[in-house]
């Protein structure tokens, strides 16, 4: 078998070259384009600002106004977006939703930070909701609002008004400090819940939930050395040209697409998370559906399109923190033993771990009194 990292060092395209060459990414349609979906229908907008203006002027749903009236912080903004999507999905009339979000209304209490806040609304209703990435845009005044504020600021107010701004600034600092404390508390709770989920032994559900959202995949795709290494290895010579390839834990399907572009005769990507649905769409968007099949399931249990036939190449990005964190190696070894032909290629087929000693007296003293 040919090791991935050896392939990269000798390959036609080094990882650093891949990072500089954006043309490769342009071949994969839809990888970065992301419209913003309306909170009340199927209409899509080119930007969050476009959505905010449309909803305010055409629907009377002023997200900035609601956020200001309820004094929402960032988490309140996230709750607001998810609450709106949930209420619309449940068929609640828009006028009823707006009335419920008025200060003191039953819905307003669910989004404002406090004892009655509904933290379940921090869970995205939609996968890869672009509006959640733009919450700050409606927690701040828009261009029209800023112009009005500028006009108001030139009405002859003098030094007395400017003096009153000083305590207000102090209040803003206190509010930010409170938000920071709330954020830390929420993060701690979410980490504890995540750890508890991982500790239950239900690793299948834990993996599926962890990798069903685009955020973690964006982090990996933006890692140019990592992604470039796989691209270089799969593109080298005739490693996959005319071959049958199995991609274990395919995620967004990027490695499957690399293999297809490199001339593979057949590619099957398998992923246990809901991201398999997105991968199918990306395969279609890139015109590779005749070559690439995406299977939703565990490689140990899934029925693959080629049945019990052997494959020529197995590729997988299974490495996690400290190499083994993602607990995927067992799946890769299962696929190797069941599907890889004798003399086939496993990518990668070797890894090296380094261990270094650490001396930190301050850290060690902590354990003297626990």
């Amino acid at each position: 078998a040919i090791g991935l990292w050896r392939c990269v060092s000798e390959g036609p395209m080094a990882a650093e070259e891949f990072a500089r060459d954006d043309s490769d990414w342009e071949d994969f349609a839809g990888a970065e384009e992301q419209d913003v979906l309306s909170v009340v229908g199927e209409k899509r907008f080119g930007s969050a600002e476009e959505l905010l203006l449309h909803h305010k002027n055409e629907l009377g749903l002023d997200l900035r106004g609601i956020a200001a009236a309820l004094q929402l912080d960032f988490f309140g903004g996230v709750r607001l977006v998810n609450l709106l999507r949930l209420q619309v999905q449940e068929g609640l009339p828009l006028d009823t939703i707006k009335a419920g979000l008025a200060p003191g209304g039953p819905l307003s209490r669910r989004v404002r930070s406090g004892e009655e806040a509904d933290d379940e609304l921090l869970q995205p209703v939609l996968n890869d909701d672009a509006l959640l990435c733009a919450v700050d845009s409606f927690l701040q005044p828009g261009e029209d609002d800023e112009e009005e504020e500028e006009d108001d600021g030139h009405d002859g107010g003098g030094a007395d008004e400017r003096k009153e701004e000083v305590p207000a600034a102090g209040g803003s600092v206190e509010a930010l400090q409170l938000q920071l404390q709330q954020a830390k508390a929420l993060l701690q709770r979410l980490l504890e819940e995540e750890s508890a989920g991982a500790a239950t032994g239900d690793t299948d559900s834990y993996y599926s939930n962890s990798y069903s959202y685009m955020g973690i995949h964006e982090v990996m795709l933006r890692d140019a050395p990592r992604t470039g290494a796989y691209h270089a290895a799969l593109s080298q010579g005739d490693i996959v040209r005319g071959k049958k390839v199995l991609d274990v834990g395919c995620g967004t399907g990027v490695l499957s697409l690399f293999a297809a572009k490199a001339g593979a005769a057949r590619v099957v990507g398998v992923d246990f998370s809901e991201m398999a649905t997105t991968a199918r769409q990306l395969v279609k968007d890139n015109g590779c559906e005749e070559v690439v099949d995406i299977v939703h399931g565990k490689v140990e249990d899934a029925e693959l399109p080629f049945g019990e036939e052997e494959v020529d190449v197995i590729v997988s990005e299974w490495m996690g923190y400290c190499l083994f964190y993602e607990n995927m190696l067992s799946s890769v070894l299962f696929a190797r033993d069941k599907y890889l032909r004798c003399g086939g290629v496993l990518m990668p087929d070797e890894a090296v771990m380094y261990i270094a000693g650490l001396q930190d007296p301050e850290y060690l003293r902590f354990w003297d009194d626990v």
Side-chain angles (χ1 to χ4, degrees), residues 6 48 52 117 134 152 218 229 331:
R6 294 198 295 274
L52 294 172
D152 293 341
E218 179 183 1
S331 295

Side-chain angles (χ1 to χ4, degrees), residues 72-73 75-80 83 105-122 182 186 189:
L72 298 184
D73 57 13
F75 298 107
V78 172
R79 294 189 192 97
L80 175 61
L83 175 71
L107 297 181
S108 69
R109 293 192 289 271
R110 295 178 63 186
V111 298
R112 295 186 65 182
S113 295
E115 294 182 358
E116 297 183 68
D118 186 352
D119 283 346
E120 290 187 3
L121 293 174
L122 295 173
Q182 293 172 339
L186 176 62
R189 191 174 79 249

